[in-house]
């Protein structure tokens, strides 16, 4: 078979995948396109639960992995999400990391930093100012179910003792998956991370009392 004969089928498959994503009005294309394309090419998400056929649902869920909740509508496995009511930037997942290394985080965020990330510091009083409105989705390594937690007011008791301390966080420029976000923050020695549902990743330093900033500031991942 000549090379030219291989190109046409590949182009046809690509156009087919793009058409599926375009038809999914609620689909977060920036976050899901790569993984959805992989699963569709492997024909793991071809069935349609809406038509009573869920024969591939488990395989599709395993293929999408951590992106299942965000991307299932891209492959017609769940109802389209209405992002106009609750924009992805207003929601986030947070988690405390098991073995933070404060000295490593400080070393990597002082002075010149990597070109693909931005370091932001702000007073802890600012970090806590929106605390009572925080409703975050917490994932833990020791639990297989989802826990929605609204932290209590006791955290405000530490505000006075912090004085003028600063909370330092790191934003990565590009959109990343929640798994990548966690790995990046662990490799930096971070204490916690916040993954916004538009795929912006924020690593949170050891001086931060709560979960950093609720503002999306990833240069190439703002929407």
């Amino acid at each position: 078979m000549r090379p030219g004969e291989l190109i046409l089928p590949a182009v046809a498959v690509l156009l087919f995948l793009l058409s599926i994503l375009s038809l999914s009005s609620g689909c977060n294309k920036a976050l899901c396109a790569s993984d959805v394309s992989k699963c569709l090419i492997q024909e793991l998400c071809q069935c349609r639960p809406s038509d009573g056929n869920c024969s591939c649902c488990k395989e599709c869920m395993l293929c999408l992995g951590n992106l299942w909740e965000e991307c299932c509508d891209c492959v017609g496995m769940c109802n389209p999400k209405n992002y106009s009511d609750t924009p992805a930037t207003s929601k986030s997942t947070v988690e405390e990391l098991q073995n933070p290394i404060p000295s490593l985080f400080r070393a990597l965020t002082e002075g010149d930093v990597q070109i693909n990330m931005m370091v932001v510091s702000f007073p802890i009083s600012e970090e806590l100012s929106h605390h009572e409105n925080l409703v975050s989705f917490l994932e833990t390594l020791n639990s297989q179910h989802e826990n929605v937690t609204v932290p209590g007011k006791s955290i405000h008791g530490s505000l006075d003792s912090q004085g003028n301390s600063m909370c330092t966080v790191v934003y990565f420029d590009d959109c990343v998956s929640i798994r990548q976000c966690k790995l990046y923050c662990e490799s930096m020695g971070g204490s916690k991370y916040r993954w916004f549902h538009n795929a912006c990743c924020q690593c949170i330093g050891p001086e931060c009392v709560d979960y950093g900033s609720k503002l999306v500031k990833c240069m190439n991942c703002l929407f």
Side-chain angles (χ1 to χ4, degrees), residues 3-189:
E5 295 175 337
L6 293 173
I7 294 175
L8 288 177
V11 171
V13 170
L14 179 59
L15 291 175
F16 172 71
L17 297 177
L18 291 175
S19 67
I20 290 178
L21 289 175
S22 298
L23 291 173
S24 303
S25 58
C27 177
N28 186 343
K29 299 178 183 64
L31 172 63
C32 302
S34 176
D35 287 82
V36 165
S37 298
K38 175 193 69 176
C39 297
L40 290 175
I41 288 174
Q42 297 180 50
E43 298 186 350
L44 297 175
C45 302
Q46 304 299 93
C47 59
R48 287 292 172 267
S50 58
D51 297 332
N53 178 11
C54 202
S55 58
C56 68
C57 291
K58 183 176 181 179
E59 289 77 9
C60 185
M61 181 177 68
L62 291 174
C63 182
L64 289 175
N66 289 331
L67 293 177
W68 169 258
E69 289 82 4
E70 291 297 321
C71 304
C72 60
D73 57 336
C74 297
V75 290
M77 289 287 164
C78 58
N79 293 325
K81 300 175 182 64
N82 189 344
Y83 290 105
S84 60
D85 290 342
T86 53
T89 53
S90 70
K91 298 182 293 181
S92 60
T93 297
V94 297
E95 183 180 350
E96 292 194 26
L97 299 174
Q98 296 297 308
N99 298 300
I101 308 175
S103 58
L104 174 61
F105 187 88
R106 295 187 188 103
L108 294 177
T109 55
E110 292 176 353
D112 295 333
V113 298
Q114 299 180 38
I115 59 174
N116 65 337
M117 66 184 197
M118 176 175 65
V119 177
V120 177
S121 295
F122 47 88
I124 286 180
S125 57
E126 179 182 327
E127 179 194 17
L128 297 179
S129 63
H130 302 292
H131 175 74
E132 292 182 358
N133 295 323
L134 176 65
V135 179
S136 296
F137 179 79
L138 296 178
E139 291 187 347
T140 64
L141 295 177
N142 299 323
S143 175
Q144 294 183 350
H145 63 277
E146 298 173 350
N147 299 305
V148 178
T149 301
V150 181
K153 297 181 180 179
S154 60
I155 195 169
H156 289 284
S158 62
L159 181 56
D160 294 335
S161 63
Q162 295 296 328
N164 296 320
S165 296
M166 303 291 284
C167 170
T168 298
V169 301
V170 171
Y171 290 95
F172 291 94
D173 290 347
D174 298 322
C175 297
V176 299
S177 69
I178 187 171
R179 180 175 177 274
Q180 289 174 312
C181 182
K182 181 176 180 178
L183 290 174
Y184 290 165
C185 295
E186 284 179 331
S187 69
M188 292 190 67

Side-chain angles (χ1 to χ4, degrees), residues 190-204:
S191 298
K192 309 165 188 173
Y193 72 87
R194 181 189 290 273
W195 184 77
F196 295 92
H197 289 197
N198 74 323
C200 172
C201 176
Q202 176 189 164
C203 298
I204 302 165

